[in-house]
Amino acid sequence: MPDESSPPSFPKLFKVPLQAILIVPFVVQTVGAVGIIGYLSFRNGQKAVNDVAAQLRHETSDRIAQNLTHLVATPFQAFESYEAARSQNRIDLNNGRDIEKFLWRQLPAFRNLSLTAFITTNQEFFGAERQDDGAIVIRTSEVESNRALITYRTNSSGDRLEVISAGEPNFEPHQRPYYKIPVQQREATWGKVFRHVSGKTMYIAPGKPIYNQAGELQGVWMASLNLSMIGDFLRSLKIGTTGQSFILERSGEMIATSTGEKPFRYYPDKVVQLPEQRVERLNAIDSENSTTQKTSQFLLEKFQDFDQIQGFQQLEFSINGTRQFVQVAPFRDGRGIDWLVVVTVPESDFMAQINANTQSTILLSLLALAISLGIGILTTRWITQPILQLNQASSAMAAGTLSQAVTESSVYELQQLTQSFNRMAQQLQESFNTLEQANEQLEHRVEERTAELKATKDEVETALRELQLAQTQLIQSEKMSSLGLLVAGVAHEINNPVNFIYGNLSHADEYTQELLKLVQAYQTHYPEPPPAIAQQSKAMDLDFMVNDLSKLIESMKEGARRIQEIVLALRTFSRLDEAEVKSINIHDGIDSTLVILGNRLKPKPNHPGIEILRNYGSLPLVECYPGPLNQVFMNILSNAIDAIEIAFKQGKQMTPAISIHTALIDESRAQIRIGDNGSGIPEAIKQQIFDPFFTTKPVGSGTGMGLAMSYQIVTDRHQGTLSCSSHSGEGTEFVIQIPLKQNLRDEELSRE
């Protein structure tokens, strides 16, 4: 029977030397660490390439989209200018010479336009065109000239001089896309890309049909863009080292490319009837540039048709074994343009430095492995030699040889092991009992400390939230104060010169009329002026100046009046001189806020303008803090506009409107209700909208403090109430109730 005091025995499966136990795990750990570092370095490099490529493609697409948005808006801005002049009777659409001179004067203001014209219903063409050298010429096709397209050089007043070139007779502008498509759709819209009559370039132009009061077509305004301008912009972009970009139509035909390749092919020796027939559109898959061609083929293979690409796409494919990062972004302007912006960046643009870093990492890892192995072997020998001696002495003592002399090691722990071996068993039980008691005491102390820390944590979190709220309010207050100072200063500085201009315009008008009367008197008494005076009168186009001068002065008066209205709205909104409680007209604050937000209320490409429905009641002057209360109106109205825009993005069909109702609840309180017919607030988050820092907007688009601060301004500073009524998809209404007198609560408390 074995002795119960003897240690248990275990089967001896195999023997492993101590040196192997120390060295092998050390080597395995080192090799594993080096392998993991190398793998992570490679993976991080790949991820960095993907991230940088995605960011570069996205930024490039955004820059292209911004430029295109500005560029394609230019013709419609020109149409607005032309219509404004027509509404002010500054141009006669029945007078071809008047039209061409007007367009000749207008073209320098729109530098992106190459050609602008008016086409009449009897196929007459009157326009102004910017030449390659920057000179502006007149180009017309009239019945008197057998409708040949003739180009005239002009003098400094826009009058015709000699003929530069004359085309074939019977020019038919009615067959051009800038005339046919707008007339068919009865609205301002883009036509298709067309060849220039010179046969050396391609243009794209929208047209705007003009109708009289009887609904009869008078003609079509046209303003064209040269596709080479888009290509020049693409070439100015730096897309990595060798990245490229190009724009194509849904048909696959090129609009522009960054490689310098023209989006058309010109055959100067081709025998044709008209010069423009020498130009043929270039399809992207027929491009001479390999990257453009293969990228287009890849997109066609993936989507079968360019029309199938409806959203933002980030893709990858290979050209001759080199990975290519591709981004496709549709570009639409809401007026007929539907293009695809393609950006291609090769992986090789980013891999050179990453490969060098990977090689450096591998070499350094191998060097670290070699050094670690050498140190491990030396350390193992230093540790195992004293242990082997101690093992031999223990074996001898077990065999009965007690007189053993073990040489002490320089390792302090092994030296202590030799001295403590005999005392270990005796002290083990005592140490165990002591450890158990200490463990119980420690658990009790940990529980107490945990409870204290939890209480402290709750206090700190509460204090932190209060501090964050106070800090945000202070920052917002300083921002509004600074904004008020800036707005008031700007309004003051603008108001003085505007008043000066507006006040003197009436005198200028009076003096002008007197001078015109004097000129008429001279013409009456001297109907046949001397040659010098007659020549000067013709050079300055005196009749045109007489007719146009009064209209110009009236336009200047209208502009000065509108500036005065905007300045008044800014001063009313800032209320810098009313930081304390003042008695004000609430409606003035609401109207000034709407003036400031006027740009956001205008029509957008994806939805019509937002209608403001004012239903103002009869309110007395209300005691309040004007500046903070205007801030509340601004926050609520801005949120209403955001909700309407979200509803349109979600496809909701409606007539966007914001309603504002004001009324007296009783003799002591006023009510302001602001409602919209936007997307509404989901029931799940309705209870959180007034919480500080709560927002449903993307990161960077909102602080979550607008409604929280509005609630604090209404309830704390004005002793009022702010509530919200909303259903998802049915719109939202905010209701503000404030006392007419800010000392009302104090008086009621004193009476109680």
Side-chain angles (χ1 to χ4, degrees):
M1 184 175 180
D3 185 0
E4 294 181 358
S5 62
S6 63
S9 61
F10 298 94
K12 298 181 179 180
L13 299 178
F14 54 87
K15 296 181 179 180
V16 181
L18 179 60
Q19 290 184 347
I21 293 175
L22 292 175
I23 292 177
V24 172
F26 187 82
V27 172
V28 171
Q29 292 176 13
T30 305
V31 172
V34 170
I36 291 173
I37 291 173
Y39 175 76
L40 292 178
S41 176
F42 177 77
R43 292 295 299 168
N44 289 337
Q46 290 289 334
K47 185 177 183 301
V49 168
N50 294 337
D51 293 344
V52 172
Q55 182 179 0
L56 177 61
R57 288 176 289 170
H58 190 71
E59 291 177 353
T60 303
S61 294
D62 286 349
R63 289 186 60 190
I64 294 174
Q66 290 174 2
N67 181 269
L68 289 178
T69 300
H70 172 72
L71 188 63
V72 302
T74 303
F76 298 92
Q77 294 171 357
F79 293 162
E80 293 178 1
S81 176
Y82 301 165
E83 285 304 290
R86 190 170 72 92
S87 65
Q88 297 172 3
N89 296 322
R90 293 170 55 193
I91 180 172
D92 183 4
L93 295 184
N94 297 318
N95 187 335
R97 295 296 178 89
D98 190 22
I99 295 172
E100 67 186 37
K101 183 177 290 188
F102 169 78
L103 294 176
W104 184 89
R105 290 171 175 163
Q106 288 288 314
L107 191 56
F110 302 97
R111 297 192 176 276
N112 291 330
L113 298 182
S114 299
L115 170 65
T116 179
F118 184 78
I119 302 95
T120 66
T121 55
N122 63 346
Q123 298 210 62
E124 289 191 316
F125 180 99
F126 302 96
E129 182 172 332
R130 183 179 283 106
Q131 302 288 83
D132 293 338
D133 59 358
I136 298 177
V137 300
I138 287 176
R139 175 164 286 180
T140 63
S141 172
E142 301 174 271
V143 175
E144 293 81 1
S145 60
N146 200 18
R147 292 196 175 92
L149 193 60
I150 301 176
T151 304
Y152 298 90
R153 186 175 284 107
T154 64
N155 60 16
S156 59
S157 299
D159 297 314
R160 297 180 182 180
L161 296 178
E162 72 272 19
V163 175
I164 299 176
S165 64
E168 297 293 332
N170 297 320
F171 174 67
E172 297 180 346
H174 284 195
Q175 303 303 317
R176 299 279 171 156
Y178 50 74
Y179 185 95
K180 292 177 62 177
I181 295 176
V183 170
Q184 290 172 357
Q185 299 186 10
R186 298 182 64 85
E187 64 178 2
T189 187
W190 287 93
K192 297 180 180 179
V193 174
F194 64 95
R195 308 172 183 87
H196 189 259
V197 293
S198 66
K200 296 182 180 180
T201 186
M202 304 291 288
Y203 279 6
I204 184 171
K208 181 175 183 179
I210 305 302
Y211 299 91
N212 59 21
Q213 294 181 352
E216 298 172 343
L217 180 67
Q218 292 184 279
V220 174
W221 290 117
M222 181 271 279
S224 63
L225 301 174
N226 193 331
L227 294 187
S228 62
M229 289 192 302
I230 305 177
D232 294 340
F233 168 74
L234 295 182
R235 286 195 297 274
S236 69
L237 297 176
K238 181 171 179 58
I239 310 173
T241 304
T242 60
Q244 301 178 12
S245 66
F246 60 93
I247 303 172
L248 68 158
E249 292 185 298
R250 295 287 182 170
S251 62
E253 295 175 317
M254 295 285 288
I255 293 296
T257 176
S258 64
T259 62
E261 183 180 19
K262 296 185 179 299
F264 58 87
R265 289 177 176 171
Y266 179 62
Y267 302 94
D269 299 327
K270 186 176 180 181
V271 179
V272 293
Q273 182 177 1
L274 298 175
E276 61 262 36
Q277 295 176 349
R278 296 191 179 100
V279 179
E280 293 182 0
R281 297 287 304 276
L282 174 65
N283 200 296
I285 60 175
D286 298 328
S287 171
E288 296 179 357
N289 182 273
S290 175
T291 300
T292 302
Q293 181 189 62
K294 293 184 182 299
T295 302
S296 303
Q297 291 176 345
F298 163 73
L299 293 175
L300 275 179
E301 293 172 0
K302 183 172 182 62
F303 296 97
Q304 282 76 49
D305 194 324
F306 289 120
D307 284 332
Q308 300 300 321
I309 306 176
Q310 295 300 321
F312 178 89
Q313 304 285 338
Q314 285 200 340
L315 309 167
E316 297 179 10
F317 77 107
S318 296
I319 298 178
N320 299 327
T322 301
R323 191 161 61 134
Q324 307 287 324
F325 298 98
V326 180
Q327 175 168 298
V328 184
F331 175 79
R332 303 180 179 91
D333 73 336
R335 294 187 176 99
I337 282 185
D338 188 5
W339 295 341
L340 294 176
V341 179
V342 183
V343 179
T344 304
V345 184
E347 184 185 42
S348 57
D349 283 6
F350 311 95
M351 288 303 296
Q353 185 62 40
I354 292 176
N355 290 334
N357 293 339
T358 302
Q359 293 177 0
S360 300
T361 301
I362 293 174
L363 292 176
L364 291 175
S365 299
L366 292 175
L367 178 61
L369 176 61
I371 294 174
S372 300
L373 288 175
I375 294 175
I377 293 172
L378 293 176
T379 302
T380 301
R381 289 181 179 177
W382 186 37
I383 294 174
T384 57
Q385 288 300 325
I387 294 176
L388 291 174
Q389 292 179 8
L390 183 59
N391 183 50
Q392 292 173 359
S394 300
S395 299
M397 290 179 65
T401 306
L402 300 178
S403 57
Q404 296 292 326
V406 180
T407 304
E408 292 186 359
S409 172
S410 59
V411 179
Y412 177 78
E413 288 78 8
L414 295 176
Q415 186 182 43
Q416 293 297 313
L417 178 61
T418 304
Q419 297 174 359
S420 304
F421 183 81
N422 294 327
R423 300 192 301 268
M424 181 178 58
Q426 179 183 356
Q427 296 177 353
L428 183 60
Q429 186 63 41
E430 297 176 356
S431 299
F432 180 81
N433 295 335
T434 304
L435 181 61
E436 190 174 27
Q437 295 175 0
N439 186 46
E440 292 178 357
Q441 295 176 0
L442 180 60
E443 288 179 354
H444 181 67
R445 293 178 61 187
V446 167
E447 290 176 354
E448 294 178 348
R449 186 58 177 163
T450 301
E452 294 175 359
L453 289 176
K454 183 177 180 181
T456 304
K457 176 176 174 292
D458 293 338
E459 295 176 358
V460 170
E461 289 179 347
T462 301
L464 179 60
R465 285 195 297 269
E466 294 175 354
L467 179 60
Q468 289 177 333
L469 179 59
Q471 182 183 23
T472 304
Q473 291 175 343
L474 179 59
I475 293 173
Q476 186 67 19
S477 176
E478 290 298 323
K479 287 169 59 179
M480 291 303 296
S481 176
S482 301
L483 177 63
L485 287 171
L486 176 62
V487 168
V490 171
H492 177 74
E493 293 299 325
I494 294 176
N495 200 41
N496 287 340
V498 167
N499 288 337
F500 175 77
I501 294 172
Y502 191 79
N504 286 320
L505 278 174
S506 59
H507 299 297
D509 189 15
E510 180 182 352
Y511 299 159
T512 301
Q513 296 301 324
E514 294 298 327
L515 290 174
L516 292 178
K517 292 178 181 179
L518 179 61
V519 171
Q520 293 174 354
Y522 270 103
Q523 291 178 337
T524 301
H525 290 80
Y526 300 98
E528 298 295 332
I533 295 177
Q535 183 178 1
Q536 180 63 28
S537 176
K538 180 179 180 181
M540 65 187 294
D541 199 348
L542 181 60
D543 293 338
F544 175 80
M545 289 180 58
V546 169
N547 293 330
D548 197 47
L549 191 56
S550 298
K551 301 174 185 177
L552 289 178
I553 293 178
E554 288 300 320
S555 297
M556 293 166 65
K557 286 183 178 180
E558 176 64 18
R561 185 188 64 78
R562 291 184 61 187
I563 293 175
Q564 286 180 326
E565 289 181 355
I566 295 173
V567 168
L568 179 60
L570 289 173
R571 296 184 64 179
T572 302
F573 178 80
S574 67
R575 297 283 189 174
L576 183 63
D577 57 342
E578 299 178 5
E580 300 300 329
V581 175
K582 298 289 184 180
S583 295
I584 66 164
N585 186 342
I586 291 291
H587 300 152
D588 291 343
I590 297 174
D591 290 339
S592 66
T593 306
L594 290 172
V595 171
I596 295 173
L597 291 172
N599 188 58
R600 295 193 63 191
L601 301 173
K602 294 179 179 179
K604 300 294 188 302
N606 60 338
H607 67 77
I610 300 174
E611 183 179 2
I612 301 299
L613 305 176
R614 295 178 174 86
N615 188 2
Y616 292 165
S618 179
L619 294 181
L621 297 181
V622 178
E623 285 188 357
C624 64
Y625 295 91
L629 193 58
N630 286 343
Q631 183 183 352
V632 173
F633 297 150
M634 175 68 74
N635 290 335
I636 295 176
L637 288 169
S638 296
N639 285 345
I641 296 172
D642 292 340
I644 291 174
E645 292 178 347
I646 291 172
F648 273 101
K649 290 180 180 178
Q650 295 174 347
K652 183 177 180 181
Q653 300 297 323
M654 62 177 183
T655 300
I658 296 176
S659 61
I660 305 173
H661 298 262
T662 62
L664 279 175
I665 302 175
D666 51 39
E667 61 182 10
S668 62
R669 299 178 72 83
Q671 182 184 78
I672 303 100
R673 293 188 291 121
I674 301 175
D676 63 76
N677 58 350
S679 58
I681 302 174
E683 192 68 28
I685 65 172
K686 190 184 300 182
Q687 302 301 322
Q688 300 174 270
I689 60 175
F690 294 120
D691 292 346
F693 309 108
F694 175 78
T695 179
T696 59
K697 296 180 180 178
V699 176
S701 299
T703 63
M705 290 301 298
L707 289 179
M709 295 188 66
S710 298
Y711 187 85
Q712 188 267 341
I713 290 171
V714 173
T715 58
D716 292 350
R717 299 193 66 177
H718 292 88
Q719 291 82 48
T721 61
L722 174 59
S723 60
C724 172
S725 174
S726 177
H727 296 284
S728 183
E730 298 181 4
T732 303
E733 182 179 68
F734 285 88
V735 180
I736 304 169
Q737 294 184 4
I738 59 174
L740 298 179
K741 302 291 184 180
Q742 282 303 305
N743 58 354
L744 179 61
R745 171 183 286 185
D746 297 336
E747 293 176 357
E748 291 177 350
L749 292 175
S750 63
R751 287 197 298 269
E752 293 177 358

